[in-house]
Amino acid sequence: MSPSGIIIPRRLRAAAPGWTATADVIVVGSGIAGLTTALRLRRRVARVLLVTKTVLDEGSTAWAQGGIAAVMSPDDSPEEHIHDTLVAGVGLCNVEAVRTLVNEGTDAVWDLIAIGADFDRGETGKISLTREGGHHRDRILHAGGDATGREISRALIAALNRVRDDPGIEVIEHALVIDLLSNGDGGVCGVTLHVIGEGQVDGVGAAHAPAVVLATGGLGQIYASTTNPAVATGDGMAAALRAGAELADLEFVQFHPTVLYLGEGSSGQQPLISEAVRGEGAFLVDAEGVRFMQGQHPLADLAPRDIVARAIIARMRETGTDHVYLDCRHLGADFLEQRFPSIVERCRELGFDPATELLPVAPAQHYASGGVRTDLRGRTSLEGLYACGETSCTGVHGANRLASNSLLEGLVFARRIADDLTRRLAAGELPDPSPVEVQSDATEHPALIRGKRRVAVQRAMTAGAGSVRSAASLAATAARLGELAAADDGKKGGPKSWETTNLLHVGQALTLAAALREETRGGHVREDFPDRDDENFLHHTVIRRAADGQLTVATDPVPPENLIGLGLDGSHRTEEHHERLP
Ligand code: SIN
């Protein structure tokens, strides 16, 4: 592990806990990953505590439009879904994790249907399947046209509400997890958290448990514009980083190609135009009406996301514009309104009619392919700590997530985590919690930056560590983040400053990882190293905070065999695959 010179504190500054709670498992987050974990653990362990930062349905899951990918049709096969996932991940996927995802995905989706998720069906009652970028088969289930995440979230919350009176499961909303509690043996045994609107001045408490599952979603708010909701502030990743867990592949940030462009300076959560719209036949054009994806890739407008986003950025640079256009007009008002009701409604609210005019679009941050590193059971490098969904890095996504694989990942790995915890707790493998006081030496010194500095973090990340990076831009971002970290004025914390400091800490780790990867691969685009370099960079970048507080970096090689048969070992990424297209 090489030291980086960047110091991260062990914990955020917060008041001492004024109350305590105990559980067998604490699940943090209420998207598909958190809810599935909690529901599956219920009745298998004595007490599950589910905490969520705002209300149950406010996370990223509910915003997922396109759908959930799974092999559901006899025309499809697990091998093909595995293959498409590995190709999108550009050699950095963990092949075993991808096999697990796909092989267990179909049953997991049927279980989701059994608890009430109502996916769209055709006239014969068969589940309708569509296609998105990088997929060579129709395998995306969707609901309410373009409201898949909302339906999944509704079904899981309804299932939770049916058991809300069960003493084995407790839910606390408006609860922001601040830090992880250590057991003194390098393990995790609970969390400190702040319950907004309850308790006294600051409502800080401590919840103790032999196991904590972080399912807090992504880090989208680290950038000035993102498709992620306001709650996506990297809280779980940051807490894990401060506690010494390994984070991997952070440099691979997915920028969604088609986010409605609302003008310069438009910031925060931006409206997503699902890839499924291109799956149904919409296409990209530049300011002159030229279809620029044709000839760039065999799948043209439905190439994997990183390729489409990069092509858009290149075309914007060539034409001196800040957006391109999505042409959906030929799909017709009736079809668009029926298939994509939420997107059409939102566009019209904002003054754009997809049935009659071109939609201005530009890439914006969408998904963190990396996160807290886990094995196939969701275990992180710290005993008692698990991570799931976008917070985690299971190895499923590699350098670039395949469309609609994220809901599936949350679902499949949540089930695995619940099964692993059930077994380990029954076997007494996880010790009862006995938190130790964190020492107040120089490196443990709690830190915090003010909530009002969030825009400065977002500007620095967007300018230098965003969709296109270079050594110079990353160095400037790292320097600015360092200045912001030094601007700690010692004042007391609150939710906004805790979140902003989380963004800062994850941003520092991400920028470090991005500076070290001197190549372009998947979601990591370096203008100074525009090519993929398998000789030097076929590895994962693993970052952790060492005992002295310093971020350290290690690389974990992936075998060159990872590329064989993917069309990645030759000159063209998807040549071989394209030949199999119908
Ligand atoms: C989309 O609908 O384009 C987004 C789906 C995803 O991110 O997987």
Side-chain angles (χ1 to χ4, degrees), residues 65-67 132 254 256 272-276 305 366 401-406:
Q65 293 180 348
E132 289 181 332
Q254 188 169 81
H256 196 290
L272 174 69
I273 310 293
S274 174
E275 205 158 48
R305 241 170 234 183
H366 183 58
R401 175 179 64 91
L402 183 67
S404 287
N405 265 356
S406 46

Side-chain angles (χ1 to χ4, degrees), residues 358-372:
L358 296 174
L359 294 179
V361 291
Q365 193 282 346
H366 183 58
Y367 193 83
S369 296
V372 185

Side-chain angles (χ1 to χ4, degrees), residues 224-302:
S225 88
T226 173
T227 62
N228 292 189
V231 291
T233 51
D235 304 334
M237 292 184 203
L241 184 68
R242 287 190 294 270
E246 289 181 355
L247 273 69
D249 295 346
L250 281 180
E251 64 271 41
F252 298 110
V253 179
Q254 188 169 81
F255 284 76
H256 196 290
T258 53
V259 178
L260 195 63
Y261 179 71
L262 297 177
E264 202 186 347
S266 180
S267 62
Q269 187 180 15
Q270 306 294 303
L272 174 69
I273 310 293
S274 174
E275 205 158 48
V277 179
R278 274 173 289 135
E280 299 289 358
F283 52 82
L284 290 158
V285 293
D286 66 13
E288 263 119 52
V290 176
R291 286 192 66 173
F292 57 91
M293 282 312 299
Q294 288 183 325
Q296 296 236 11
H297 186 278
L299 289 175
D301 294 88
L302 275 181

Side-chain angles (χ1 to χ4, degrees), residues 28 63 69 77 237 268 291 325 402 408 474 508 510 524 556:
V28 188
W63 288 94
S77 68
M237 292 184 203
R291 286 192 66 173
Y325 294 95
L402 183 67
L408 190 68
L474 288 160
Q508 288 180 293
L510 191 161
H524 172 67
D556 184 8

Side-chain angles (χ1 to χ4, degrees), residues 205-224:
H208 301 148
V212 174
V213 182
L214 294 173
T216 58
L219 50 69
Q221 294 294 328
I222 213 168
Y223 292 104

